[in-house]
Amino acid sequence: MKILLVKLSSLGDVVHTLPVVQDIRTALPEAEIDWVVEKSFAPLLARCSGLRRVIPCEIRRWRKSFWTGVTRQEWRAFMGELQREAYDAVIDLQGLTKSALVARLAVLAPGGKRYALANQTEGSGYEAPTRWVADVAITVEPHIHAVQRSRELAARALGYIPKITPDFGLKSPESHDFWAQAAIKKIADSTSKGRVVLVHGTSRADKEWPLEHWITLGRRLGAAGYPVALAHGNARELLTSQAIAHALNRTTADTVLVLPLLPLDALTEELAQCAGVIGVDSGVSHIAVALDLPHVQIYNFDTAWRTGPGIAGHGGRQVSVFAQPVPTVETVWQAWLGCWSVSSPASAGSAGSAP
């Protein structure tokens, strides 16, 4: 059975969809699974166990320059890859016009069907063409976590019952050559394995946590013996990382590491080596959840029920904190101590002595 998953973006949404692949592999071991995704997120899917083929596209960019010869050429190349196979099931897991278009252009095998959401769920985008294009539109519970929404849609489309705990299926690279290719030699130093990565960047300003809060939290981590690393995804976030590092390097014994701008596969590997992650509601924080790391996710809005940790059943090792206008440093710190005590009781005593 050949199955095509369509989930184009964004990073957090792609991460939340990863368990679908492992669900299908468990229920249908002989299935061959392909996935269409925006090119910038394809490196993450390269780490997902069980995918036969990742088909990258750049619809976000193409629609801004659809009239150019370069875009037309790239579109034709994408269509060639998309239509190279005929699928027994095409599942639109996004529910938007752009994903409906991709699902419609995919080729069905004899007897094959297209599946999609029949309704919008709370807090998620939804556009009617996804329902119009589908051969089978499936209604799901409107108040549902993003991970469960995709899992339920795929399970009902293919006729299986998923296991209770999601498996995100992120695998480690097969050889040390990965590090050379990613050009992050200094990060591979063993000292990075004890670091706590702070994820301050997010796509929305109203999800951010104040700069001074990050600095205060970093000082507490340093005093408790946790070296700090700072992740960023663009030039603006790099400036924030540098500002935090500058403040911390004046007051902590250990040098704060500002990570270079990394492709998603390399960033995922760096996160996999760290002691844990504290971050705002962002795609990178969701990767921390997928990697089963000790993790605190910071929310300025009461939306953790839909996107936050906890759904993966990690027993207190991953938690969200919510307050308005923003959670306090003390709240985040106590949440981190709780996560770490669950993960490594022997380390909790020393961490708890920090100011």
Side-chain angles (χ1 to χ4, degrees):
M1 185 178 193
K2 294 182 179 179
I3 300 167
L4 180 68
L5 306 180
V6 181
K7 187 75 166 185
L8 307 176
S9 59
S10 58
L11 177 56
D13 293 337
V14 170
V15 174
H16 287 145
T17 307
L18 288 172
V20 170
V21 177
Q22 308 313 313
D23 288 346
I24 295 173
R25 290 181 70 199
T26 300
L28 305 168
E30 302 304 316
E32 297 177 329
I33 309 168
D34 296 349
W35 187 325
V36 184
V37 72
E38 281 281 341
K39 183 178 180 180
S40 57
F41 307 128
L44 179 67
L45 293 188
R47 290 180 53 106
C48 180
S49 299
L51 281 177
R52 182 186 62 159
R53 192 162 62 110
V54 177
I55 306 172
C57 66
E58 293 190 85
I59 292 176
R60 286 176 166 177
R61 180 172 63 83
W62 291 337
R63 65 187 180 188
K64 296 177 182 179
S65 60
F66 62 88
W67 61 88
T68 67
V70 171
T71 295
R72 290 197 298 271
Q73 182 179 8
E74 292 175 349
W75 174 259
R76 286 193 295 269
F78 164 66
M79 288 291 292
E81 283 299 303
L82 177 65
Q83 297 180 342
R84 196 174 83 191
E85 300 276 357
Y87 294 98
D88 300 290
V90 175
I91 309 176
D92 177 1
L93 293 163
Q94 189 143 23
L96 299 177
T97 300
K98 61 183 180 180
S99 57
L101 172 64
V102 171
R104 180 65 183 84
L105 292 173
V107 176
L108 292 179
K113 292 183 178 180
R114 297 181 177 88
Y115 301 87
L117 284 164
N119 63 297
Q120 184 171 13
T121 58
E122 292 181 37
S124 299
Y126 182 80
E127 295 169 350
T130 190
R131 184 172 62 247
W132 302 338
V133 165
D135 299 303
V136 181
I138 298 170
T139 301
V140 300
E141 165 62 40
H143 188 84
I144 191 170
H145 194 281
V147 171
Q148 291 302 99
R149 181 180 79 158
S150 293
R151 297 183 76 202
E152 181 175 332
L153 174 58
R156 292 176 60 186
L158 299 176
Y160 62 83
I161 298 175
K163 56 187 179 182
I164 296 174
T165 303
D167 177 0
F168 290 83
L170 290 182
K171 61 186 178 183
S172 296
E174 295 181 357
S175 76
H176 192 71
D177 291 344
F178 175 91
W179 294 105
Q181 296 167 5
I184 51 174
K185 181 178 179 181
K186 72 174 184 177
I187 300 175
D189 186 272
S190 62
T191 59
S192 69
K193 293 184 179 181
R195 291 188 185 274
V196 175
V197 176
L198 303 183
V199 179
H200 57 79
T202 181
S203 59
R204 286 172 42 185
D206 57 1
K207 291 184 177 182
E208 293 175 352
W209 206 42
L211 180 66
E212 286 303 318
H213 284 25
W214 287 114
I215 293 170
T216 302
L217 178 65
R219 287 172 179 155
R220 287 199 174 191
L221 288 165
Y226 296 105
V228 170
L230 294 155
H232 59 274
N234 55 48
R236 184 180 68 83
E237 292 174 7
L238 171 60
L239 293 176
T240 301
S241 290
Q242 291 171 335
I244 296 170
H246 177 72
L248 293 180
N249 283 332
R250 294 181 306 183
T251 57
T252 60
D254 187 78
T255 301
V256 175
L257 175 63
V258 176
L259 300 177
L261 183 61
L262 301 171
L264 281 176
D265 50 355
L267 177 58
T268 300
E269 180 59 24
E270 171 59 17
L271 293 179
Q273 305 301 317
C274 75
V277 174
I278 302 174
V280 294
D281 176 19
S282 72
V284 177
S285 289
H286 298 312
I287 292 175
V289 174
L291 289 170
D292 192 14
L293 294 168
H295 176 50
V296 177
Q297 202 162 117
I298 301 168
Y299 282 82
N300 303 335
F301 303 94
D302 190 14
T303 54
W305 66 267
R306 181 171 58 85
T307 59
I311 192 70
H314 295 319
R317 191 167 61 254
Q318 300 178 341
V319 300
S320 61
V321 293
F322 157 69
Q324 289 183 322
V326 297
T328 65
V329 174
E330 180 64 22
T331 300
V332 174
W333 177 245
Q334 291 301 324
W336 169 252
L337 294 183
C339 291
W340 190 249
S341 67
V342 170
S343 302
S344 180
S347 301
S350 62
S353 65

